[in-house]
């Protein structure tokens, strides 16, 4: 599984229609809506702004007025074939005056996104694990030191009888971080809530 390192763009022309293929890295449907709103404002003369989104639990497709299945579905198929996640694929179409037919549209939308992928830099997605730890107040700074060392992301900190830190760490580092924390804190640390996530 991969994701985009940065947005990527390509333009193709078929029978005088221009297809602007665009790829954006993002992490939610809300981000996708903002991007799409911006694109519609930036391209007021476009006849269609079609999109396909693959994002954890928030995927979606929209043909934006093109015949059903001729725009978003071929774009989505390219995303699936490229094994990417957290990506919004958009094709902005400017009408050229010549009808392409269903087959022509399907090829054009898929090709626009394929061309954009030729400009894209992909990075591997590393799965992460969420966990919580509890330590004495006096040990919080030492726990934070080890979390920083393993580039763990602190998600939440709460204070009750002890300091509770909820964090996210790369799967490959989880066991080593746990072992180092136990050693450094002489066993005075409690872990819970391990769940894997992408």
């Amino acid at each position: 599984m991969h994701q985009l390192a940065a947005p990527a763009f390509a333009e193709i022309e078929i029978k005088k229609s221009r297809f602007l293929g665009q790829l954006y890295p993002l992490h939610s449907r809300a981000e996708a809506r903002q991007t799409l709103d911006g694109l519609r404002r930036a391209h007021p003369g476009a006849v269609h702004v079609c999109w396909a989104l693959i994002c954890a639990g928030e995927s979606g497709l929209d043909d934006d007025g093109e015949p059903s299945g001729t725009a978003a579905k071929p774009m989505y198929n390219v995303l699936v074939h490229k094994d990417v996640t957290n990506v919004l694929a958009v094709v902005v179409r400017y009408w050229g005056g010549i009808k392409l037919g269903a087959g022509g549209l399907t090829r054009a939308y898929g090709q626009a996104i394929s061309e954009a992928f030729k400009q894209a830099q992909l990075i591997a997605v590393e799965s992460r694990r969420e966990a919580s730890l509890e330590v004495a107040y006096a040990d919080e700074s030492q726990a934070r030191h080890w979390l920083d060392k393993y580039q763990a992301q602190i998600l939440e900190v709460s204070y009750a009888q002890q300091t509770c830190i909820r964090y996210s760490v790369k799967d490959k580092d989880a066991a080593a971080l746990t072992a180092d924390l136990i050693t450094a804190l002489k066993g005075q640390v409690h872990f819970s809530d391990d769940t894997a996530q992408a």
Side-chain angles (χ1 to χ4, degrees):
M1 186 73 62
H2 293 84
Q3 62 188 18
L4 293 171
F9 308 94
E11 180 177 338
I12 62 171
E13 187 173 313
I14 298 173
K15 294 185 178 177
K16 299 185 181 176
S17 278
R18 289 172 52 220
F19 295 85
L20 312 179
Q22 305 173 41
L23 298 167
Y24 297 93
L26 42 68
H27 296 281
S28 71
R29 200 169 186 126
E31 281 182 78
R33 275 193 296 271
Q34 287 179 335
T35 301
L36 289 164
D37 289 345
L39 286 170
R40 287 189 176 99
R41 284 193 301 274
H43 297 278
V47 290
H48 302 287
V49 178
C50 306
W51 58 270
L53 170 69
I54 294 184
C55 193
E58 299 187 304
S59 298
L61 306 168
D62 186 1
D63 289 316
D64 192 38
E66 290 283 31
S68 180
T70 62
K73 185 68 174 165
M75 294 161 58
Y76 182 82
N77 289 343
V78 173
L79 298 181
V80 170
H81 177 72
K82 296 288 186 181
D83 194 30
V84 293
T85 189
N86 299 329
V87 62
L88 172 66
V90 182
V91 174
V92 176
R93 181 184 180 193
Y94 284 88
W95 170 244
I98 300 171
K99 290 188 175 184
L100 302 181
L105 288 172
T106 300
R107 285 187 297 278
Y109 279 97
Q111 183 184 346
I113 294 304
S114 292
E115 291 297 320
F117 266 110
K118 291 178 182 176
Q119 309 303 317
Q121 180 186 350
L122 299 177
I123 51 176
V125 174
E126 295 186 277
S127 59
R128 298 181 69 85
R129 179 169 301 279
E130 279 186 24
S132 294
L133 63 82
E134 288 184 15
V135 293
Y137 299 127
D139 292 331
E140 179 182 350
S141 63
Q142 194 166 6
R144 285 179 178 264
H145 163 77
W146 286 100
L147 291 169
D148 285 346
K149 182 174 179 179
Y150 283 95
Q151 298 177 336
Q153 179 185 3
I154 294 176
L155 305 172
E156 183 181 355
V157 179
S158 58
Y159 300 95
Q161 292 179 336
Q162 293 192 308
T163 300
C164 180
I165 302 173
R166 193 164 66 86
Y167 62 93
S168 170
V169 66
K170 292 176 186 170
D171 260 349
K172 67 182 181 68
D173 294 334
L177 171 59
T178 300
D180 283 346
L181 281 164
I182 290 170
T183 301
L185 298 171
K186 299 176 177 59
Q188 300 302 303
V189 58
H190 176 72
F191 297 93
S192 60
D193 301 332
D194 282 343
T195 55
Q197 64 180 39

